[in-house]
Amino acid sequence: MSAQSADPRTRQLHLNLFVYPGGHHEAAWRHSVSPDPDRLLDIRFYQDLARAAELAAFDGVFFADGPALADNVRYASRFRLEPFTWLSAVAAATERIGLIATASTTYTEPYNLARLFASLDHLSGGRAGWNIVTTGAPQAARNFGLDAHPVHAERYERARDFLEAVGKLWDSWEDGALVADRRSGLFADTDRIHTVDHEGPLLKVRGPLNIPRSPQGRPVYVQAGSSEDGRAFAARYAEAVFTAHQTLRSGQEFYADIKQRAARLGRDPGKLLVLPGISPFIASTESEARRLHQEFNELTQPEYSLELLHRLLGVRLTQGELDGPVPRELIETGGERGNGSRFQLVLDIVEREQPTVRELLHRLAGARGHRVIAGTPEQVAGQLQQWYEQGAADGFNVMPPWLPGGFDVFAAQVVPILRERGLFRSEYEGGTLREHYGLARPLSRYEAARSAAAPVA
């Protein structure tokens, strides 16, 4: 049964708080509603955010990461806190909310990453989720002793090998291997602890892991790429997909495609959640919300925004061209950049809307290509409901333009409307991220093999 065909009386949307230092609008740090930038290095700021999201019964908090300093930190809040340190501190301050972190398959090793996530899952009582990325930032390469960033296809080949290796590591302790029998003196059943001996196309890992199987069996697999390689990867491995769409039609096409791909691989498409990003400016009237959005846009730095556009489209423009049309003829669709899903999203805006350069920069300033809404709480809730009920989303990554206020108003004014309409929970029913997402705890490969070999009664 697909997610769309599930009983509408029981199906409800999923909400994550996507935390980005200071907020998702590139000029948020300059606006008077935002906190002093020093707070962005204070864990208590993030613990308060996570507790507020937990009070609203959100499925999870998501903390993105990248292993390099962004080129444009001169004009925007672009530093990165290390996510496992961050989430461990957040885990200690919360009880139920899921904890989702980005980690790169290109710039980590399977054994180290498996240990980090298994530890987080144990210490949080089963709340870990892994946002699987191959890393798109080419400047990361030299931070890890490489002369050049691996090309798109090579990164995904390593990612597939990586997933196979870490999956074996997380299963290397069977459930029940930890005995801890004081009377007999048996601490661990070593017959249920297995070497991995993974030898893939690119990676070799012996194992076993040095920590027992975690409460969820393994963290929830989240994936965020929408390229052809990314869609194929998500259909095979992901349990939740973070994605960016500007139009309902685009969201519907992606939703149908990813569910169909999963079904063709023998998966239940209802167990693969599609969660687009949404960045809302909320006020008591639509005109006030639009004015607030415009206030943020007027604080953008053209030099920063033009550099972002260059990274996305490969076109170098100047401030003297801001009020002219985006030169479509200069945008090359071939090569490595053309493989990226965000490239295609921005190109679609250019071709569909024919904006000026300034208008396009303001579109991207809000959430780097994710959908920005400016409206009343009822209008925002209505758009979420439309996408949810018309086959474009199973829920959303909420990306407040600024923090904490942009989230506070969403939790206080939009969430109650969603609850009144029967679209979102009032309280948690489970304690793990898998339970929040409606996902079963997977059997270990050893238990699955025994079940498959058992005679049918």
Side-chain angles (χ1 to χ4, degrees):
M1 180 185 297
S2 74
Q4 278 304 108
S5 63
D7 187 340
R9 294 169 297 180
T10 58
R11 179 176 177 258
Q12 291 190 322
L13 59 78
H14 301 277
L15 295 175
N16 298 316
L17 170 59
F18 184 171
V19 177
Y20 203 81
H24 286 271
H25 194 284
E26 68 184 48
W29 68 276
R30 299 186 67 195
H31 200 284
S32 60
V33 297
S34 294
D36 189 297
D38 287 347
R39 286 210 67 197
L40 304 183
L41 295 171
D42 184 344
I43 191 57
R44 292 169 294 187
F45 175 73
Y46 299 104
Q47 289 173 327
D48 288 346
L49 275 173
R51 281 190 287 255
E54 185 169 70
L55 187 63
F58 268 45
D59 295 73
V61 289
F62 166 45
F63 199 66
D65 188 39
L69 179 65
D71 292 334
N72 44 20
V73 72
R74 179 180 178 90
Y75 297 112
S77 172
R78 298 286 281 154
F79 58 77
R80 300 286 197 180
L81 290 164
E82 194 283 311
F84 289 98
T85 305
W86 189 93
L87 285 176
S88 295
V90 168
T94 56
E95 296 181 355
R96 307 285 284 279
I97 195 162
L99 308 167
I100 306 169
T102 294
S104 172
T105 58
T106 303
Y107 295 113
T108 57
E109 293 296 325
Y111 198 91
N112 289 342
L113 184 138
R115 289 187 68 206
L116 288 165
F117 270 113
S119 298
L120 178 62
D121 205 47
H122 275 292
L123 296 175
S124 67
R127 295 189 278 147
W130 174 22
N131 178 41
I132 306 162
V133 300
T134 66
T135 303
Q139 63 266 39
R142 293 191 178 183
N143 292 341
F144 295 87
L146 300 180
D147 293 329
H149 191 48
V151 298
H152 192 271
E154 290 177 3
R155 299 200 308 273
Y156 272 96
E157 182 183 10
R158 178 181 167 90
R160 289 186 289 270
D161 200 4
F162 200 107
L163 263 287
E164 294 298 322
V166 295
K168 293 174 183 177
L169 286 166
W170 282 319
D171 284 349
S172 60
W173 286 60
E174 294 187 49
D175 293 326
L178 179 61
V179 178
D181 185 340
R182 289 190 174 101
R183 180 170 297 179
S184 69
L186 181 66
F187 184 77
D189 182 352
T190 52
D191 290 337
R192 307 184 83 177
I193 301 174
H194 306 275
T195 57
V196 168
D197 294 325
H198 174 81
E199 292 195 22
L202 299 171
L203 297 166
K204 294 177 66 174
V205 183
R206 183 176 186 275
L209 202 60
N210 59 356
I211 186 172
R213 196 162 191 254
S214 73
Q216 294 188 112
R218 57 173 169 77
V220 174
Y221 284 169
V222 179
Q223 188 267 354
S226 298
S227 65
E228 178 59 31
D229 284 334
R231 293 183 188 214
F233 187 87
R236 181 170 297 279
Y237 297 107
E239 294 165 298
V241 179
F242 295 168
T243 185
H245 297 282
Q246 288 289 322
T247 67
L248 175 63
R249 181 177 178 181
S250 172
Q252 290 169 326
E253 290 173 346
F254 177 85
Y255 187 97
D257 178 61
I258 209 74
K259 301 278 186 170
Q260 290 164 5
R261 288 174 187 248
R264 287 196 295 269
L265 292 169
R267 298 184 61 192
D268 178 355
K271 301 303 181 184
L272 197 171
L273 305 178
V274 177
L275 306 172
I278 192 79
S279 188
F281 286 86
I282 303 166
S284 57
T285 68
E286 182 178 354
S287 61
E288 288 176 3
R290 291 186 180 277
R291 278 200 300 273
L292 180 62
H293 186 196
Q294 185 59 29
E295 286 178 14
F296 276 72
N297 284 341
E298 288 174 355
L299 293 173
T300 57
Q301 297 272 43
E303 188 173 341
Y304 172 95
S305 304
L306 290 168
E307 180 59 31
L308 173 64
L309 190 65
H310 173 252
R311 292 203 329 273
L312 289 171
L313 295 183
V315 176
R316 282 279 184 201
L317 301 175
T318 67
Q319 294 192 39
E321 299 171 277
L322 288 174
D323 294 310
V326 178
R328 170 63 182 85
E329 67 279 2
L330 298 182
I331 302 172
E332 297 181 4
T333 57
E336 178 74 2
R337 182 179 282 106
N339 289 325
S341 57
R342 201 58 53 90
F343 171 90
Q344 189 60 53
L345 182 148
V346 178
L347 184 63
D348 287 346
I349 295 175
V350 172
E351 295 181 339
R352 182 177 63 249
E353 302 176 17
Q354 299 181 4
T356 66
V357 174
R358 190 187 303 274
E359 289 169 341
L360 179 60
L361 296 182
H362 285 172
R363 287 290 298 275
L364 300 177
R368 305 169 307 283
H370 290 274
R371 181 167 173 77
V372 177
I373 301 175
T376 65
E378 291 79 9
Q379 288 173 321
V380 172
Q383 289 212 28
L384 301 186
Q385 182 173 4
Q386 181 188 31
W387 281 51
Y388 177 64
E389 293 182 343
Q390 295 186 20
D394 294 305
F396 299 89
N397 270 330
V398 180
M399 305 170 62
W402 78 99
L403 290 169
F407 177 71
D408 292 341
V409 68
F410 184 93
Q413 299 185 29
V414 177
V415 169
I417 296 172
L418 297 174
R419 287 176 175 154
E420 289 170 5
R421 298 178 184 181
L423 296 171
F424 188 61
R425 69 170 74 89
S426 295
E427 58 185 22
Y428 293 110
E429 296 181 1
T432 71
L433 180 56
R434 288 190 172 279
E435 290 171 329
H436 301 339
Y437 278 170
L439 301 171
R441 184 179 189 268
L443 297 176
S444 77
R445 64 195 63 226
Y446 302 101
E447 186 176 357
R450 283 194 295 269
S451 297
V456 179

